[in-house]
Amino acid sequence: MDTLPFETYACYPLTLFDRLFERTTFLTGWLVEGKIDTDALATALTGVTKKWRLLAGRLQSIQDENDVRSRFYPPSVLQRFTTVVLQVSQWRIKIPLGEIPEDYETFALTMSTGEHHLSHYLTSPMPLVSRSLPHALFIHPSTPRQYTLWESKSHPLTCWHVTHLPADPSNGGKQYTCIGFARSHGIFDGVGAAAIMRALVSEMRGEDWTAPPLPQGGFSENPLQLALDARIQAGELQSNTQLEGYHGFVDLGVAGAVKQIAWHVRERWWNGADRRILLMPKDVLLFLTNTVRAEISRSSEGSSTSQVTTGDILVAWILKTMYSRGTSPKSVIQCLNLASFRGLLAEDDSSILQYIHNAFVPLPYPSMTVAQLEKYHLHELSCILAESRNALAISHVISSHDALASITAFPANPKANENVVVSNVSASRILESDWSAIGAARTVCGYRYQLTPKEVLITNAVYIAGRLDDGSLVLDVSLSKERIDLLVEGVLKLKAVGEQADVEAV
């Protein structure tokens, strides 16, 4: 297909926010009850990728620094970081526009049959806490885990893997299926993945959906980069007061980056950090949020009640619970809550709200000692986090953007004793994706994995993944055994207090 005329392609550049994750493959997995129809899935994927042509593209690098049309970086960054920028490849997506040949794959779909029943991995009903299912159930071994392999293999951008588990005699002979959706995190973020899933669900149901318009042939501009570069040129980084104490994406340098990786390795092998699923039952979540909102209404912060979201309350509870014991009161903790900044640029170009590539930075949360986390009441900490969330500004985005010109940039506060990464993707509802049109009876659970070439596990991380059909909230965590035990203890305590309150109210 590379022999076709240039005009039959569009070349769409990625940005610095994508490049950060060039060695990470993001995998979303669904464990569903029933045996899905893989032929129906293939038909739906064919429809989606032929209508939404970017998804049928291929990753391509550019190393000709004189090719001005294909520059990966905006002029403002080139002026400030020329030495760094010209030493690295620039990446774009090559999108086919004309008729697609029959031998050209617009997606990758693989299938396998599991060796074990579901009961080998998971008891039924699903327990409060469980180890994540092996990622091999959701992804084919051939799936690339870094930019260079996506390009050298000319691999489709979206990868789907289905594992049919044998009928389980211990569970009434029910059949279960693992469905995995893998993609380069250096191309799509969670918002983008959720948009792809919405299109796929509509296609599986036979419903109409609107694909993005075809781009023009030849080199395209990246709309997010254009909008951000205009803000940089307008001097919006000069709002330095907003950047005091802000730790977003930070250039750690080689020594700092090695230190960060070593910390995660230590947590995994010495402190037993692993991927686990923690369920917060619906009644426990309601009790938690209602109690906090009632406290806010009774306190002097009552005017802030409407600004405090369920996400703010959950993050505050997670932090207070994780550090309720076992950590020195003097330890400095930095929470890095990853949030989309699309809305900040949408006034320049409304299409950015539908932007499917990486567009997030850590919120401007203050760093706190463990003693401070303990001192604040839960409703007080929730209000502090809400105020910080609402304070996110373009200056924070530009600061992170500049740091990402270095290959040793990372979301971290190098002065903190511990960094905690939080990502709330529940609003995207990707976990709730409906597979019933191709044979699934229900979704038992959802899973998230960040896979790297060296199998580095990013620890001290909590992903608020979404809700199951019974209203339970799924927390997908990578924590030490001590920390996960604290969260489980916290959920059980909330449940007990809530049940006692119900008894007293009768």
Side-chain angles (χ1 to χ4, degrees):
M1 198 168 175
D2 285 339
T3 60
L4 295 178
F6 177 77
E7 290 74 16
T8 62
Y9 294 105
C11 293
Y12 184 90
L14 297 172
T15 74
L16 289 167
F17 292 101
D18 300 301
R19 180 62 187 256
L20 173 66
F21 301 102
E22 67 168 301
R23 291 172 60 84
T24 303
T25 290
F26 208 102
L27 172 62
T28 303
W30 294 263
L31 171 64
V32 302
E33 183 182 318
K35 185 175 182 178
I36 69 163
D37 183 344
T38 53
D39 290 337
L41 176 59
T43 299
L45 288 170
T46 299
V48 170
T49 53
K50 286 192 174 180
K51 294 173 186 176
W52 193 345
R53 283 300 181 87
L54 183 144
L55 302 183
R58 294 291 190 270
L59 190 63
Q60 185 181 61
S61 63
I62 310 160
Q63 295 179 326
D64 181 3
E65 64 187 57
N66 297 314
D67 186 358
V68 178
R69 297 171 302 169
S70 58
R71 282 281 166 94
F72 179 86
Y73 302 97
S76 55
V77 173
L78 285 170
Q79 292 166 7
R80 285 177 279 171
F81 301 107
T82 301
T83 302
V84 174
V85 168
L86 296 183
Q87 291 176 348
V88 298
S89 300
Q90 303 155 33
W91 295 88
R92 62 188 183 186
I93 300 173
K94 192 174 183 181
I95 307 168
L97 300 180
E99 184 176 349
I100 296 178
E102 291 185 5
D103 61 350
Y104 180 86
E105 293 183 334
T106 58
F107 60 91
L109 174 60
T110 50
M111 289 152 281
S112 65
T113 300
E115 297 181 7
H116 304 289
H117 306 124
L118 179 60
S119 57
H120 176 80
Y121 306 105
L122 193 64
T123 59
S124 182
M126 193 164 177
L128 186 68
V129 63
S130 59
R131 289 186 181 275
S132 296
L133 295 183
H135 66 258
L137 294 173
F138 299 102
I139 189 171
H140 193 272
S142 65
T143 305
R145 297 194 185 184
Q146 58 190 35
Y147 270 0
T148 53
L149 289 180
W150 289 97
E151 180 182 34
S152 64
K153 291 184 173 184
S154 189
H155 204 284
L157 301 184
T158 66
C159 310
W160 310 82
H161 185 70
V162 175
T163 300
H164 294 293
L165 300 181
D168 196 340
S170 67
N171 194 19
K174 291 181 179 178
Q175 291 185 297
Y176 294 90
T177 305
C178 297
I179 308 169
F181 169 27
R183 62 277 180 191
S184 171
H185 198 355
I187 300 177
F188 306 110
D189 69 0
V191 173
I196 295 169
M197 282 306 306
R198 286 194 295 270
L200 178 59
V201 169
S202 294
E203 192 74 20
M204 289 189 296
R205 290 173 171 173
E207 298 172 348
D208 291 334
W209 60 281
T210 302
L214 281 174
Q216 297 293 319
F219 291 99
S220 301
E221 298 283 359
N222 183 295
L224 183 136
Q225 189 65 70
L226 285 175
L228 186 59
D229 199 38
R231 297 294 190 97
I232 294 172
Q233 295 293 339
E236 294 205 25
L237 186 60
Q238 295 175 2
S239 303
N240 288 326
T241 55
Q242 294 177 315
L243 297 177
E244 293 179 4
Y246 177 60
H247 300 282
F249 293 117
V250 178
D251 181 9
L252 298 175
V254 174
V258 170
K259 181 180 178 181
Q260 282 289 325
I261 294 171
W263 192 90
H264 291 293
V265 171
R266 184 197 69 186
E267 282 294 291
R268 181 178 185 182
W269 297 110
W270 291 0
N271 294 328
D274 200 0
R275 297 186 179 98
R276 293 178 176 88
I277 295 294
L278 173 64
L279 298 182
M280 180 177 281
K282 179 181 179 179
D283 58 341
V284 174
L285 177 62
L286 285 174
F287 175 74
L288 171 64
T289 55
N290 290 341
T291 301
V292 170
R293 289 194 170 102
E295 287 295 328
I296 293 173
S297 295
R298 285 194 292 266
S299 71
S300 59
E301 295 92 349
S303 59
S304 303
T305 306
S306 61
Q307 298 180 8
V308 176
T309 66
T310 297
D312 298 323
I313 296 170
L314 280 169
V315 175
W317 176 82
I318 288 166
L319 289 173
K320 284 186 65 67
T321 305
M322 280 177 55
Y323 293 99
S324 57
R325 68 170 183 268
T327 306
S328 168
K330 296 181 180 180
S331 291
V332 176
I333 309 302
Q334 180 68 59
C335 181
L336 300 151
N337 190 347
L338 308 177
S340 169
F341 59 81
R342 292 167 174 83
L344 298 177
L345 294 173
E347 62 185 57
D348 302 330
D349 181 353
S350 61
S351 72
I352 291 175
L353 290 175
Q354 284 74 51
Y355 186 79
I356 63 173
H357 311 291
N358 289 280
F360 61 85
V361 295
L363 291 173
Y365 281 175
S367 56
M368 297 184 186
T369 64
V370 170
Q372 287 175 310
L373 287 174
E374 184 177 350
K375 180 190 73 172
Y376 287 122
H377 294 292
L378 184 56
H379 71 279
E380 293 173 327
L381 184 57
S382 298
C383 289
I384 291 171
L385 299 186
E387 291 170 4
S388 299
R389 173 175 51 78
N390 289 322
L392 182 66
I394 285 295
S395 57
H396 299 118
V397 179
I398 296 174
S399 171
S400 290
H401 180 263
D402 286 356
L404 289 173
S406 168
I407 61 174
T408 55
F410 201 76
N413 176 356
K415 296 181 180 180
N417 296 103
E418 292 191 23
N419 290 279
V420 183
V421 177
V422 176
S423 180
N424 183 1
V425 298
S426 59
S428 73
R429 303 206 177 279
I430 191 169
L431 174 62
E432 291 98 312
S433 298
D434 182 8
W435 299 97
S436 62
I438 59 171
R442 66 185 180 97
T443 296
V444 178
C445 195
Y447 301 87
R448 292 159 56 88
Y449 310 84
Q450 293 191 62
L451 305 176
T452 65
K454 299 297 183 182
E455 298 285 356
V456 174
L457 177 66
I458 302 301
T459 62
N460 235 31
V462 178
Y463 301 99
I464 304 171
R467 305 191 192 198
L468 300 177
D469 55 7
D470 66 355
S472 296
L473 182 73
V474 178
L475 299 178
D476 194 324
V477 306
S478 298
L479 296 171
S480 67
K481 186 180 184 305
E482 180 182 22
R483 297 271 161 79
I484 189 66
D485 286 346
L486 286 170
L487 289 181
V488 171
E489 182 181 308
V491 170
L492 292 175
K493 182 178 179 180
L494 283 172
K495 184 175 179 61
V497 173
E499 289 173 349
Q500 182 62 34
D502 289 342
V503 170
E504 293 175 356
V506 173

